[in-house]
Amino acid sequence: LVNFVREKYRKYGYQEVITPQVFDTEIFHTSGHYEHYKENMYFTEIEKRECACKPMNCPSHCILYSHDHHSYRDLPLRIADFGRLHRYEKSGVLHGLTRVRSFSQDDGHIFCTEDQIQDEIKNFMQLLGEIYKTLGMNDYLVKFSTRPESRMGTDEFWDKAEGALETALKSLDLKYVLNPGDGAFYGPKLDITFFDALKRPWQLGTLQMDMQMPQKFKLKYVGADNTDHMPVMLHRAILGSLERFIGVYIEHCAGHFPLWLAPVQLKIVNVTEKHAAYSEKLLQQFRDANIRAELDSRNEKLGFKIREAQVAKIPYMAVIGDKEMETNTVSIRYRTGENFNNLSVDSLIDGLSQEIKTRSLESYLKSK
């Protein structure tokens, strides 16, 4: 998943960074997290200084931005970060992978001018659409979350920020619903709610507009008029917490991952011990082709090994017996129970490699 998102980042002009896990709490006082979020943070003391594990990446990205001089020609600046975050969640709300205390996000922040906001929202929604379509996640809704009771900034700021998001939603003709009072303390946001195969809603992606943090960290750029201006900061994620996303996606596809995402892509099962050497040779060929293959060479009945692989939801099983060994071929059993016999090893590797490369949701064998 991370490699997939990284490919998209290169296409959409993001640069990836790594920021520290632990900061002096001064940074969180500046950002406002200490006052608005401290009950969800982990604290420690280092050399008589109060420090905290970062619950978000945004303060550190503001620090990174401030270390350089920026012109309007440098913007937008798009920063991505898969760093690990820590948030104290009460034990009663922890729930499998979907609510944890330590996690990673496909996190990103965009620093841009006010004139660039509409284009950046459009690019974000286009990027999100590409990723969701590849994953087979076509049923989602945008929620427009507005100012909460506990917030930073003036009503004038909130009017301006909410107006910009609403303009973008209308110009993109996006289906959305209003979600009053559920914005972040620093700005309004668009929350992406995905509906899984059972029509259960899950909030995954988000785009949040922020003019507060750039002000708090005194961020600036030199405009075309040769004077200093404050950038707008867009907080954004598409999958959200990777742990949570994986939990949701397992539920959505009932563990039947597309081939490119499957932890084990192909399981080789030999009928008897005399087929072991040929099976070992095949295993190496698949691995050399960067196919995640495993060999089940246990002295068990063939039906037992096939059932175990099916229960594990492994996409492909290569069944190796006398005929396959004699003809230097493989017979494939797809996870749906369909059989494809006596395939050449090279054509199978080429087909699987193409299915993985294109991140197809369908088996290449079904198109043959």
Side-chain angles (χ1 to χ4, degrees), residues 290-334:
N290 293 317
I291 294 168
R292 294 189 289 273
E294 290 183 356
L295 168 62
D296 186 349
S297 59
R298 294 175 298 168
N299 186 24
E300 296 283 357
K301 290 182 179 179
L302 179 64
F304 177 81
K305 293 198 278 190
I306 289 174
R307 279 193 300 276
E308 278 208 340
Q310 281 187 307
V311 169
K313 304 185 189 301
I314 295 169
Y316 291 97
M317 285 157 275
V319 181
I320 307 303
D322 290 340
K323 189 171 184 180
E324 288 77 20
M325 190 169 67
E326 290 165 6
T327 58
N328 197 34
T329 60
V330 290
S331 290
I332 289 295
R333 183 181 178 88
Y334 191 51

mmCIF file of all heavy atoms in Angstrom, residues 290-334:
data_model
loop_
_atom_site.group_PDB
_atom_site.id
_atom_site.type_symbol
_atom_site.label_atom_id
_atom_site.label_comp_id
_atom_site.label_asym_id
_atom_site.label_seq_id
_atom_site.Cartn_x
_atom_site.Cartn_y
_atom_site.Cartn_z
ATOM 1 N N ASN A 290 9.797 -11.882 -8.573
ATOM 2 C CA ASN A 290 9.186 -10.994 -7.567
ATOM 3 C C ASN A 290 7.722 -11.330 -7.300
ATOM 4 O O ASN A 290 6.910 -10.447 -6.993
ATOM 5 C CB ASN A 290 9.323 -9.526 -7.971
ATOM 6 C CG ASN A 290 10.759 -9.053 -7.944
ATOM 7 O OD1 ASN A 290 11.493 -9.374 -7.021
ATOM 8 N ND2 ASN A 290 11.161 -8.321 -8.965
ATOM 9 N N ILE A 291 7.395 -12.611 -7.419
ATOM 10 C CA ILE A 291 6.069 -13.094 -7.040
ATOM 11 C C ILE A 291 6.192 -13.702 -5.645
ATOM 12 O O ILE A 291 7.089 -14.522 -5.399
ATOM 13 C CB ILE A 291 5.551 -14.128 -8.055
ATOM 14 C CG1 ILE A 291 5.320 -13.459 -9.411
ATOM 15 C CG2 ILE A 291 4.254 -14.783 -7.556
ATOM 16 C CD1 ILE A 291 5.089 -14.431 -10.550
ATOM 17 N N ARG A 292 5.321 -13.290 -4.733
ATOM 18 C CA ARG A 292 5.401 -13.770 -3.348
ATOM 19 C C ARG A 292 4.821 -15.184 -3.285
ATOM 20 O O ARG A 292 3.610 -15.378 -3.132
ATOM 21 C CB ARG A 292 4.667 -12.816 -2.411
ATOM 22 C CG ARG A 292 5.321 -11.434 -2.312
ATOM 23 C CD ARG A 292 4.715 -10.573 -1.222
ATOM 24 N NE ARG A 292 3.374 -10.126 -1.532
ATOM 25 C CZ ARG A 292 3.079 -9.024 -2.215
ATOM 26 N NH1 ARG A 292 4.056 -8.265 -2.687
ATOM 27 N NH2 ARG A 292 1.819 -8.675 -2.450
ATOM 28 N N ALA A 293 5.697 -16.157 -3.433
ATOM 29 C CA ALA A 293 5.285 -17.566 -3.496
ATOM 30 C C ALA A 293 5.786 -18.330 -2.281
ATOM 31 O O ALA A 293 6.817 -17.993 -1.698
ATOM 32 C CB ALA A 293 5.815 -18.202 -4.771
ATOM 33 N N GLU A 294 5.038 -19.373 -1.917
ATOM 34 C CA GLU A 294 5.439 -20.289 -0.850
ATOM 35 C C GLU A 294 5.198 -21.715 -1.319
ATOM 36 O O GLU A 294 4.376 -21.960 -2.211
ATOM 37 C CB GLU A 294 4.636 -20.026 0.435
ATOM 38 C CG GLU A 294 4.988 -18.726 1.119
ATOM 39 C CD GLU A 294 4.227 -18.539 2.430
ATOM 40 O OE1 GLU A 294 3.362 -19.404 2.752
ATOM 41 O OE2 GLU A 294 4.488 -17.550 3.129
ATOM 42 N N LEU A 295 5.926 -22.640 -0.708
ATOM 43 C CA LEU A 295 5.789 -24.064 -1.041
ATOM 44 C C LEU A 295 5.286 -24.814 0.182
ATOM 45 O O LEU A 295 5.865 -24.722 1.267
ATOM 46 C CB LEU A 295 7.136 -24.637 -1.501
ATOM 47 C CG LEU A 295 7.240 -26.161 -1.627
ATOM 48 C CD1 LEU A 295 6.253 -26.688 -2.668
ATOM 49 C CD2 LEU A 295 8.663 -26.576 -1.973
ATOM 50 N N ASP A 296 4.199 -25.557 0.017
ATOM 51 C CA ASP A 296 3.694 -26.433 1.069
ATOM 52 C C ASP A 296 4.129 -27.856 0.713
ATOM 53 O O ASP A 296 3.487 -28.547 -0.062
ATOM 54 C CB ASP A 296 2.176 -26.351 1.148
ATOM 55 C CG ASP A 296 1.616 -27.154 2.333
ATOM 56 O OD1 ASP A 296 2.383 -27.930 2.941
ATOM 57 O OD2 ASP A 296 0.418 -26.998 2.641
ATOM 58 N N SER A 297 5.262 -28.277 1.278
ATOM 59 C CA SER A 297 5.822 -29.587 0.947
ATOM 60 C C SER A 297 5.569 -30.616 2.051
ATOM 61 O O SER A 297 6.220 -31.671 2.091
ATOM 62 C CB SER A 297 7.332 -29.461 0.697
ATOM 63 O OG SER A 297 7.978 -28.941 1.842
ATOM 64 N N ARG A 298 4.627 -30.346 2.943
ATOM 65 C CA ARG A 298 4.338 -31.261 4.035
ATOM 66 C C ARG A 298 3.815 -32.598 3.501
ATOM 67 O O ARG A 298 3.203 -32.664 2.431
ATOM 68 C CB ARG A 298 3.302 -30.650 4.980
ATOM 69 C CG ARG A 298 3.766 -29.422 5.743
ATOM 70 C CD ARG A 298 2.621 -28.827 6.541
ATOM 71 N NE ARG A 298 1.541 -28.378 5.672
ATOM 72 C CZ ARG A 298 0.331 -28.039 6.106
ATOM 73 N NH1 ARG A 298 0.040 -28.098 7.406
ATOM 74 N NH2 ARG A 298 -0.599 -27.635 5.252
ATOM 75 N N ASN A 299 4.038 -33.615 4.278
ATOM 76 C CA ASN A 299 3.559 -34.951 3.908
ATOM 77 C C ASN A 299 2.091 -35.092 4.316
ATOM 78 O O ASN A 299 1.732 -35.825 5.225
ATOM 79 C CB ASN A 299 4.421 -36.030 4.591
ATOM 80 C CG ASN A 299 4.042 -37.429 4.124
ATOM 81 O OD1 ASN A 299 3.491 -37.608 3.039
ATOM 82 N ND2 ASN A 299 4.327 -38.422 4.969
ATOM 83 N N GLU A 300 1.245 -34.322 3.609
ATOM 84 C CA GLU A 300 -0.194 -34.319 3.866
ATOM 85 C C GLU A 300 -0.926 -34.615 2.562
ATOM 86 O O GLU A 300 -0.363 -34.491 1.471
ATOM 87 C CB GLU A 300 -0.660 -32.948 4.394
ATOM 88 C CG GLU A 300 -0.076 -32.543 5.738
ATOM 89 C CD GLU A 300 -0.747 -33.259 6.903
ATOM 90 O OE1 GLU A 300 -1.705 -34.021 6.658
ATOM 91 O OE2 GLU A 300 -0.314 -33.035 8.051
ATOM 92 N N LYS A 301 -2.198 -34.972 2.667
ATOM 93 C CA LYS A 301 -2.985 -35.223 1.473
ATOM 94 C C LYS A 301 -3.152 -33.930 0.674
ATOM 95 O O LYS A 301 -3.252 -32.840 1.236
ATOM 96 C CB LYS A 301 -4.357 -35.778 1.849
ATOM 97 C CG LYS A 301 -4.303 -37.199 2.409
ATOM 98 C CD LYS A 301 -5.698 -37.709 2.724
ATOM 99 C CE LYS A 301 -5.653 -39.144 3.267
ATOM 100 N NZ LYS A 301 -7.010 -39.644 3.592
ATOM 101 N N LEU A 302 -3.208 -34.075 -0.655
ATOM 102 C CA LEU A 302 -3.316 -32.925 -1.537
ATOM 103 C C LEU A 302 -4.567 -32.095 -1.217
ATOM 104 O O LEU A 302 -4.505 -30.861 -1.140
ATOM 105 C CB LEU A 302 -3.343 -33.375 -3.005
ATOM 106 C CG LEU A 302 -3.487 -32.267 -4.039
ATOM 107 C CD1 LEU A 302 -2.287 -31.337 -4.004
ATOM 108 C CD2 LEU A 302 -3.669 -32.854 -5.439
ATOM 109 N N GLY A 303 -5.695 -32.755 -1.014
ATOM 110 C CA GLY A 303 -6.939 -32.044 -0.722
ATOM 111 C C GLY A 303 -6.833 -31.199 0.535
ATOM 112 O O GLY A 303 -7.379 -30.091 0.594
ATOM 113 N N PHE A 304 -6.139 -31.716 1.533
ATOM 114 C CA PHE A 304 -5.945 -30.987 2.785
ATOM 115 C C PHE A 304 -5.143 -29.714 2.548
ATOM 116 O O PHE A 304 -5.489 -28.636 3.045
ATOM 117 C CB PHE A 304 -5.228 -31.885 3.800
ATOM 118 C CG PHE A 304 -4.907 -31.215 5.107
ATOM 119 C CD1 PHE A 304 -5.871 -31.071 6.092
ATOM 120 C CD2 PHE A 304 -3.635 -30.705 5.337
ATOM 121 C CE1 PHE A 304 -5.571 -30.446 7.294
ATOM 122 C CE2 PHE A 304 -3.330 -30.074 6.532
ATOM 123 C CZ PHE A 304 -4.306 -29.948 7.517
ATOM 124 N N LYS A 305 -4.084 -29.819 1.756
ATOM 125 C CA LYS A 305 -3.231 -28.660 1.502
ATOM 126 C C LYS A 305 -3.963 -27.605 0.671
ATOM 127 O O LYS A 305 -3.818 -26.402 0.905
ATOM 128 C CB LYS A 305 -1.929 -29.104 0.812
ATOM 129 C CG LYS A 305 -1.041 -29.957 1.720
ATOM 130 C CD LYS A 305 0.376 -30.034 1.242
ATOM 131 C CE LYS A 305 0.587 -31.056 0.153
ATOM 132 N NZ LYS A 305 2.027 -31.282 -0.149
ATOM 133 N N ILE A 306 -4.759 -28.063 -0.283
ATOM 134 C CA ILE A 306 -5.534 -27.138 -1.107
ATOM 135 C C ILE A 306 -6.565 -26.401 -0.252
ATOM 136 O O ILE A 306 -6.731 -25.180 -0.360
ATOM 137 C CB ILE A 306 -6.212 -27.873 -2.276
ATOM 138 C CG1 ILE A 306 -5.160 -28.295 -3.313
ATOM 139 C CG2 ILE A 306 -7.290 -27.005 -2.927
ATOM 140 C CD1 ILE A 306 -5.711 -29.146 -4.437
ATOM 141 N N ARG A 307 -7.256 -27.132 0.622
ATOM 142 C CA ARG A 307 -8.258 -26.493 1.478
ATOM 143 C C ARG A 307 -7.628 -25.449 2.390
ATOM 144 O O ARG A 307 -8.189 -24.368 2.608
ATOM 145 C CB ARG A 307 -9.006 -27.549 2.312
ATOM 146 C CG ARG A 307 -10.119 -28.260 1.547
ATOM 147 C CD ARG A 307 -11.025 -29.042 2.491
ATOM 148 N NE ARG A 307 -10.303 -30.063 3.237
ATOM 149 C CZ ARG A 307 -10.031 -31.285 2.778
ATOM 150 N NH1 ARG A 307 -10.424 -31.626 1.557
ATOM 151 N NH2 ARG A 307 -9.379 -32.156 3.510
ATOM 152 N N GLU A 308 -6.456 -25.770 2.942
ATOM 153 C CA GLU A 308 -5.780 -24.805 3.819
ATOM 154 C C GLU A 308 -5.436 -23.523 3.065
ATOM 155 O O GLU A 308 -5.576 -22.425 3.587
ATOM 156 C CB GLU A 308 -4.512 -25.425 4.414
ATOM 157 C CG GLU A 308 -4.769 -26.305 5.621
ATOM 158 C CD GLU A 308 -3.584 -26.340 6.559
ATOM 159 O OE1 GLU A 308 -2.464 -26.016 6.115
ATOM 160 O OE2 GLU A 308 -3.775 -26.705 7.731
ATOM 161 N N ALA A 309 -4.959 -23.679 1.822
ATOM 162 C CA ALA A 309 -4.617 -22.505 1.016
ATOM 163 C C ALA A 309 -5.856 -21.685 0.685
ATOM 164 O O ALA A 309 -5.825 -20.445 0.679
ATOM 165 C CB ALA A 309 -3.906 -22.939 -0.265
ATOM 166 N N GLN A 310 -6.978 -22.377 0.439
ATOM 167 C CA GLN A 310 -8.217 -21.660 0.138
ATOM 168 C C GLN A 310 -8.742 -20.915 1.359
ATOM 169 O O GLN A 310 -9.214 -19.787 1.251
ATOM 170 C CB GLN A 310 -9.274 -22.636 -0.387
ATOM 171 C CG GLN A 310 -9.071 -23.014 -1.853
ATOM 172 C CD GLN A 310 -10.221 -23.847 -2.403
ATOM 173 O OE1 GLN A 310 -10.584 -24.869 -1.818
ATOM 174 N NE2 GLN A 310 -10.773 -23.422 -3.528
ATOM 175 N N VAL A 311 -8.658 -21.547 2.519
ATOM 176 C CA VAL A 311 -9.086 -20.887 3.758
ATOM 177 C C VAL A 311 -8.235 -19.642 4.015
ATOM 178 O O VAL A 311 -8.731 -18.619 4.495
ATOM 179 C CB VAL A 311 -9.006 -21.865 4.945
ATOM 180 C CG1 VAL A 311 -9.179 -21.127 6.272
ATOM 181 C CG2 VAL A 311 -10.074 -22.948 4.817
ATOM 182 N N ALA A 312 -6.953 -19.729 3.669
ATOM 183 C CA ALA A 312 -6.050 -18.587 3.829
ATOM 184 C C ALA A 312 -6.271 -17.536 2.744
ATOM 185 O O ALA A 312 -5.611 -16.498 2.745
ATOM 186 C CB ALA A 312 -4.599 -19.059 3.818
ATOM 187 N N LYS A 313 -7.172 -17.812 1.796
ATOM 188 C CA LYS A 313 -7.554 -16.895 0.725
ATOM 189 C C LYS A 313 -6.372 -16.522 -0.167
ATOM 190 O O LYS A 313 -6.248 -15.382 -0.636
ATOM 191 C CB LYS A 313 -8.238 -15.651 1.301
ATOM 192 C CG LYS A 313 -9.448 -16.000 2.175
ATOM 193 C CD LYS A 313 -10.190 -14.777 2.628
ATOM 194 C CE LYS A 313 -11.267 -15.104 3.680
ATOM 195 N NZ LYS A 313 -12.266 -16.058 3.210
ATOM 196 N N ILE A 314 -5.487 -17.487 -0.398
ATOM 197 C CA ILE A 314 -4.365 -17.278 -1.311
ATOM 198 C C ILE A 314 -4.902 -17.315 -2.742
ATOM 199 O O ILE A 314 -5.606 -18.255 -3.116
ATOM 200 C CB ILE A 314 -3.280 -18.347 -1.076
ATOM 201 C CG1 ILE A 314 -2.693 -18.167 0.330
ATOM 202 C CG2 ILE A 314 -2.188 -18.263 -2.142
ATOM 203 C CD1 ILE A 314 -1.816 -19.298 0.793
ATOM 204 N N PRO A 315 -4.605 -16.315 -3.557
ATOM 205 C CA PRO A 315 -5.225 -16.219 -4.884
ATOM 206 C C PRO A 315 -4.978 -17.431 -5.782
ATOM 207 O O PRO A 315 -5.905 -17.941 -6.411
ATOM 208 C CB PRO A 315 -4.594 -14.960 -5.479
ATOM 209 C CG PRO A 315 -4.188 -14.146 -4.302
ATOM 210 C CD PRO A 315 -3.792 -15.128 -3.245
ATOM 211 N N TYR A 316 -3.727 -17.892 -5.865
ATOM 212 C CA TYR A 316 -3.395 -18.965 -6.797
ATOM 213 C C TYR A 316 -2.713 -20.132 -6.085
ATOM 214 O O TYR A 316 -1.872 -19.923 -5.204
ATOM 215 C CB TYR A 316 -2.446 -18.454 -7.887
ATOM 216 C CG TYR A 316 -3.081 -17.474 -8.842
ATOM 217 C CD1 TYR A 316 -2.919 -16.099 -8.660
ATOM 218 C CD2 TYR A 316 -3.837 -17.907 -9.928
ATOM 219 C CE1 TYR A 316 -3.491 -15.190 -9.535
ATOM 220 C CE2 TYR A 316 -4.411 -17.003 -10.813
ATOM 221 C CZ TYR A 316 -4.238 -15.646 -10.609
ATOM 222 O OH TYR A 316 -4.812 -14.754 -11.472
ATOM 223 N N MET A 317 -3.091 -21.352 -6.487
ATOM 224 C CA MET A 317 -2.404 -22.558 -6.024
ATOM 225 C C MET A 317 -1.852 -23.285 -7.242
ATOM 226 O O MET A 317 -2.594 -23.537 -8.205
ATOM 227 C CB MET A 317 -3.372 -23.476 -5.272
ATOM 228 C CG MET A 317 -3.719 -22.990 -3.889
ATOM 229 S SD MET A 317 -5.309 -23.675 -3.338
ATOM 230 C CE MET A 317 -6.447 -22.507 -4.063
ATOM 231 N N ALA A 318 -0.570 -23.589 -7.208
ATOM 232 C CA ALA A 318 0.058 -24.352 -8.286
ATOM 233 C C ALA A 318 0.160 -25.802 -7.824
ATOM 234 O O ALA A 318 0.895 -26.109 -6.877
ATOM 235 C CB ALA A 318 1.439 -23.794 -8.608
ATOM 236 N N VAL A 319 -0.605 -26.696 -8.462
ATOM 237 C CA VAL A 319 -0.641 -28.111 -8.080
ATOM 238 C C VAL A 319 0.354 -28.875 -8.954
ATOM 239 O O VAL A 319 0.272 -28.845 -10.182
ATOM 240 C CB VAL A 319 -2.056 -28.691 -8.251
ATOM 241 C CG1 VAL A 319 -2.093 -30.148 -7.822
ATOM 242 C CG2 VAL A 319 -3.068 -27.863 -7.445
ATOM 243 N N ILE A 320 1.306 -29.545 -8.307
ATOM 244 C CA ILE A 320 2.399 -30.206 -9.025
ATOM 245 C C ILE A 320 2.318 -31.723 -8.831
ATOM 246 O O ILE A 320 2.453 -32.226 -7.708
ATOM 247 C CB ILE A 320 3.775 -29.691 -8.548
ATOM 248 C CG1 ILE A 320 3.832 -28.158 -8.624
ATOM 249 C CG2 ILE A 320 4.889 -30.328 -9.360
ATOM 250 C CD1 ILE A 320 3.551 -27.589 -9.993
ATOM 251 N N GLY A 321 2.075 -32.420 -9.946
ATOM 252 C CA GLY A 321 2.033 -33.888 -9.939
ATOM 253 C C GLY A 321 2.926 -34.453 -11.035
ATOM 254 O O GLY A 321 3.804 -33.756 -11.572
ATOM 255 N N ASP A 322 2.673 -35.726 -11.402
ATOM 256 C CA ASP A 322 3.516 -36.395 -12.399
ATOM 257 C C ASP A 322 3.499 -35.678 -13.738
ATOM 258 O O ASP A 322 4.556 -35.435 -14.351
ATOM 259 C CB ASP A 322 3.054 -37.850 -12.603
ATOM 260 C CG ASP A 322 3.365 -38.720 -11.391
ATOM 261 O OD1 ASP A 322 4.252 -38.323 -10.590
ATOM 262 O OD2 ASP A 322 2.722 -39.778 -11.235
ATOM 263 N N LYS A 323 2.303 -35.346 -14.221
ATOM 264 C CA LYS A 323 2.185 -34.751 -15.554
ATOM 265 C C LYS A 323 2.888 -33.401 -15.629
ATOM 266 O O LYS A 323 3.579 -33.089 -16.614
ATOM 267 C CB LYS A 323 0.713 -34.612 -15.934
ATOM 268 C CG LYS A 323 0.508 -34.204 -17.383
ATOM 269 C CD LYS A 323 -0.962 -34.289 -17.775
ATOM 270 C CE LYS A 323 -1.142 -33.964 -19.253
ATOM 271 N NZ LYS A 323 -2.563 -34.041 -19.665
ATOM 272 N N GLU A 324 2.723 -32.599 -14.589
ATOM 273 C CA GLU A 324 3.359 -31.272 -14.578
ATOM 274 C C GLU A 324 4.876 -31.404 -14.578
ATOM 275 O O GLU A 324 5.577 -30.673 -15.290
ATOM 276 C CB GLU A 324 2.899 -30.469 -13.354
ATOM 277 C CG GLU A 324 1.456 -29.978 -13.395
ATOM 278 C CD GLU A 324 0.437 -31.054 -13.105
ATOM 279 O OE1 GLU A 324 0.819 -32.088 -12.494
ATOM 280 O OE2 GLU A 324 -0.733 -30.884 -13.494
ATOM 281 N N MET A 325 5.377 -32.366 -13.804
ATOM 282 C CA MET A 325 6.822 -32.547 -13.724
ATOM 283 C C MET A 325 7.383 -33.062 -15.051
ATOM 284 O O MET A 325 8.447 -32.628 -15.512
ATOM 285 C CB MET A 325 7.157 -33.518 -12.586
ATOM 286 C CG MET A 325 8.642 -33.589 -12.259
ATOM 287 S SD MET A 325 8.965 -34.489 -10.719
ATOM 288 C CE MET A 325 8.458 -36.147 -11.182
ATOM 289 N N GLU A 326 6.653 -33.972 -15.688
ATOM 290 C CA GLU A 326 7.123 -34.548 -16.955
ATOM 291 C C GLU A 326 7.114 -33.533 -18.092
ATOM 292 O O GLU A 326 7.978 -33.552 -18.964
ATOM 293 C CB GLU A 326 6.237 -35.745 -17.328
ATOM 294 C CG GLU A 326 6.417 -36.957 -16.421
ATOM 295 C CD GLU A 326 5.279 -37.963 -16.580
ATOM 296 O OE1 GLU A 326 4.429 -37.747 -17.487
ATOM 297 O OE2 GLU A 326 5.231 -38.933 -15.806
ATOM 298 N N THR A 327 6.130 -32.632 -18.090
ATOM 299 C CA THR A 327 5.975 -31.673 -19.201
ATOM 300 C C THR A 327 6.499 -30.282 -18.868
ATOM 301 O O THR A 327 6.364 -29.355 -19.684
ATOM 302 C CB THR A 327 4.490 -31.566 -19.598
ATOM 303 O OG1 THR A 327 3.723 -31.155 -18.448
ATOM 304 C CG2 THR A 327 3.975 -32.896 -20.116
ATOM 305 N N ASN A 328 7.089 -30.138 -17.687
ATOM 306 C CA ASN A 328 7.635 -28.846 -17.254
ATOM 307 C C ASN A 328 6.550 -27.750 -17.294
ATOM 308 O O ASN A 328 6.747 -26.660 -17.824
ATOM 309 C CB ASN A 328 8.825 -28.439 -18.129
ATOM 310 C CG ASN A 328 9.661 -27.346 -17.456
ATOM 311 O OD1 ASN A 328 9.790 -27.310 -16.235
ATOM 312 N ND2 ASN A 328 10.210 -26.454 -18.266
ATOM 313 N N THR A 329 5.388 -28.091 -16.719
ATOM 314 C CA THR A 329 4.258 -27.159 -16.698
ATOM 315 C C THR A 329 3.741 -27.023 -15.266
ATOM 316 O O THR A 329 4.294 -27.624 -14.337
ATOM 317 C CB THR A 329 3.106 -27.666 -17.603
ATOM 318 O OG1 THR A 329 2.668 -28.951 -17.134
ATOM 319 C CG2 THR A 329 3.560 -27.765 -19.057
ATOM 320 N N VAL A 330 2.689 -26.244 -15.109
ATOM 321 C CA VAL A 330 2.006 -26.134 -13.818
ATOM 322 C C VAL A 330 0.497 -26.175 -14.058
ATOM 323 O O VAL A 330 0.012 -25.756 -15.112
ATOM 324 C CB VAL A 330 2.359 -24.826 -13.058
ATOM 325 C CG1 VAL A 330 3.779 -24.843 -12.561
ATOM 326 C CG2 VAL A 330 2.114 -23.614 -13.933
ATOM 327 N N SER A 331 -0.227 -26.693 -13.096
ATOM 328 C CA SER A 331 -1.687 -26.631 -13.125
ATOM 329 C C SER A 331 -2.120 -25.705 -11.996
ATOM 330 O O SER A 331 -1.652 -25.828 -10.859
ATOM 331 C CB SER A 331 -2.300 -28.022 -12.939
ATOM 332 O OG SER A 331 -2.054 -28.816 -14.087
ATOM 333 N N ILE A 332 -2.982 -24.769 -12.336
ATOM 334 C CA ILE A 332 -3.373 -23.713 -11.398
ATOM 335 C C ILE A 332 -4.812 -23.917 -10.931
ATOM 336 O O ILE A 332 -5.709 -24.201 -11.726
ATOM 337 C CB ILE A 332 -3.232 -22.323 -12.050
ATOM 338 C CG1 ILE A 332 -1.755 -21.964 -12.233
ATOM 339 C CG2 ILE A 332 -3.920 -21.249 -11.218
ATOM 340 C CD1 ILE A 332 -0.982 -21.789 -10.946
ATOM 341 N N ARG A 333 -4.992 -23.776 -9.638
ATOM 342 C CA ARG A 333 -6.331 -23.724 -9.045
ATOM 343 C C ARG A 333 -6.516 -22.320 -8.505
ATOM 344 O O ARG A 333 -5.768 -21.883 -7.616
ATOM 345 C CB ARG A 333 -6.473 -24.766 -7.933
ATOM 346 C CG ARG A 333 -7.880 -24.812 -7.310
ATOM 347 C CD ARG A 333 -7.935 -25.857 -6.204
ATOM 348 N NE ARG A 333 -9.226 -25.914 -5.560
ATOM 349 C CZ ARG A 333 -10.251 -26.675 -5.964
ATOM 350 N NH1 ARG A 333 -10.094 -27.451 -7.017
ATOM 351 N NH2 ARG A 333 -11.398 -26.675 -5.306
ATOM 352 N N TYR A 334 -7.481 -21.598 -9.055
ATOM 353 C CA TYR A 334 -7.759 -20.239 -8.595
ATOM 354 C C TYR A 334 -8.585 -20.313 -7.303
ATOM 355 O O TYR A 334 -9.228 -21.319 -7.021
ATOM 356 C CB TYR A 334 -8.514 -19.470 -9.687
ATOM 357 C CG TYR A 334 -8.638 -17.985 -9.434
ATOM 358 C CD1 TYR A 334 -7.522 -17.210 -9.114
ATOM 359 C CD2 TYR A 334 -9.870 -17.348 -9.519
ATOM 360 C CE1 TYR A 334 -7.629 -15.850 -8.891
ATOM 361 C CE2 TYR A 334 -9.997 -15.977 -9.296
ATOM 362 C CZ TYR A 334 -8.869 -15.240 -8.972
ATOM 363 O OH TYR A 334 -8.991 -13.886 -8.738
#
